[in-house]
Amino acid sequence: NAGVTQTPKFQVLKTGQSMTLQCAQDMNHNSMYWYRQDPGMGLRLIYYSASEGTTDKGEVPNGYNVSRLNKREFSLRLESAAPSQTSVYFCASSEMAVYNSPLHFGNGTRLTVT
Amino acid sequence: SQKIEQNSEALNIQEGKTATLTCNYTNYSPAYLQWYRQDPGRGPVFLLLIRENEKEKRKERLKVTFDTTLKQSLFHITASQPADSATYLCAPEYNNNDMRFGAGTRLTVKP
């Protein structure tokens, strides 16, 4: 099993450009999440989807949008990239609400905005 | 506001010794806490979950404690090996669909 797959692995954008980060999981998990990780800071939740058809804001949602395309796929969109969005982005999934189950992470997308 | 602190950015120990990592949180009371391992260039990998009514949890050479009075969790690796070298993240639950992660402690085990 592949687990959680993120594409692309690396991306360089110019300020103002848009892009979509893709995430797919093959574990039949209900919940999916997008985090960003910056040096010296913990992972911060951007958006999550507790179940197919629902999405909610996390700690740092500004500048991002998400789509839960189906049970397997959860995408993150940057409409107008800014240098402050330079980060490593991780997608994760869990079987059910986080209280009862661990997160399974992908290996990240390293995004640089110039 | 809620704050999570892991004891140090880096910890160096000799092979065979016990590594002890600390996670302190303030201004909230998580019902559970998770620990993850992260290797360079990879996503975090789940290690252990401990609930507020559990004082201690073990898995092979790993042991986690959870002191809700001190607002602290300790993560121990006994008989450490160079392969244990990684960054370890604590994640106290914030609400049912959200965990807040500490910045991590980078552990290096020297042969």
Side-chain angles (χ1 to χ4, degrees):
Chain A
N1 282 345
V4 178
T5 302
Q6 292 184 237
T7 55
K9 287 184 169 47
F10 301 94
Q11 184 70 50
V12 179
L13 291 178
K14 293 188 189 306
T15 298
Q17 287 185 317
S18 62
M19 79 161 295
T20 300
L21 281 64
Q22 307 286 354
C23 175
Q25 52 93 8
D26 62 3
M27 295 172 283
N28 201 35
H29 284 171
N30 291 305
S31 303
M32 297 185 74
Y33 311 81
W34 277 105
Y35 284 88
R36 61 178 287 174
Q37 187 175 40
D38 301 293
M41 301 184 72
L43 288 153
R44 291 183 292 168
L45 183 65
I46 305 171
Y47 270 93
Y48 66 93
S49 171
S51 60
E52 188 178 355
T54 68
T55 61
D56 286 286
K57 295 177 181 179
E59 187 183 1
V60 289
N62 291 345
Y64 305 95
N65 285 299
V66 291
S67 296
R68 184 75 183 266
L69 305 168
N70 47 56
K71 192 171 185 180
R72 289 187 65 247
E73 298 173 287
F74 189 38
S75 63
L76 178 72
R77 182 158 179 85
L78 287 71
E79 290 291 352
S80 179
S84 61
Q85 294 178 304
T86 293
S87 188
V88 181
Y89 291 85
F90 288 99
C91 177
S93 69
S94 64
E95 188 175 356
M96 56 189 79
V98 173
Y99 184 91
N100 289 318
S101 57
L103 297 178
H104 297 258
F105 284 87
N107 284 323
T109 294
R110 283 144 189 82
L111 175 67
T112 301
V113 182
T114 61
Chain B
S1 63
Q2 296 79 17
K3 199 172 177 183
I4 302 162
E5 288 181 334
Q6 294 194 237
N7 57 325
S8 59
E9 283 192 21
L11 180 65
N12 298 315
I13 64 167
Q14 209 64 35
E15 182 176 7
K17 301 292 186 186
T18 295
T20 299
L21 285 64
T22 304
C23 176
N24 295 297
Y25 55 92
T26 56
N27 296 329
Y28 73 120
S29 299
Y32 66 94
L33 188 148
Q34 300 186 21
W35 282 89
Y36 288 78
R37 168 184 173 139
Q38 187 173 22
D39 291 287
R42 311 281 288 184
V45 174
F46 171 76
L47 295 174
L48 282 165
L49 180 152
I50 186 165
R51 294 184 170 82
E52 60 181 340
N53 61 346
E54 299 173 316
K55 296 299 180 192
E56 180 180 298
K57 203 147 193 190
R58 292 174 185 261
K59 179 182 174 183
E60 297 172 353
R61 295 184 295 110
L62 308 180
K63 184 178 87 171
V64 171
T65 63
F66 192 8
D67 189 324
T68 55
T69 301
L70 290 178
K71 292 187 179 292
Q72 181 182 80
S73 175
L74 298 179
F75 178 82
H76 306 273
I77 306 175
T78 59
S80 60
Q81 304 165 0
D84 294 327
S85 298
T87 296
Y88 292 86
L89 311 174
C90 76
E93 170 255 354
Y94 178 66
N95 63 45
N96 211 30
N97 283 297
D98 188 0
M99 286 191 301
R100 298 293 161 97
F101 283 82
T105 296
R106 187 173 66 252
L107 173 68
T108 303
V109 181
K110 300 188 176 181

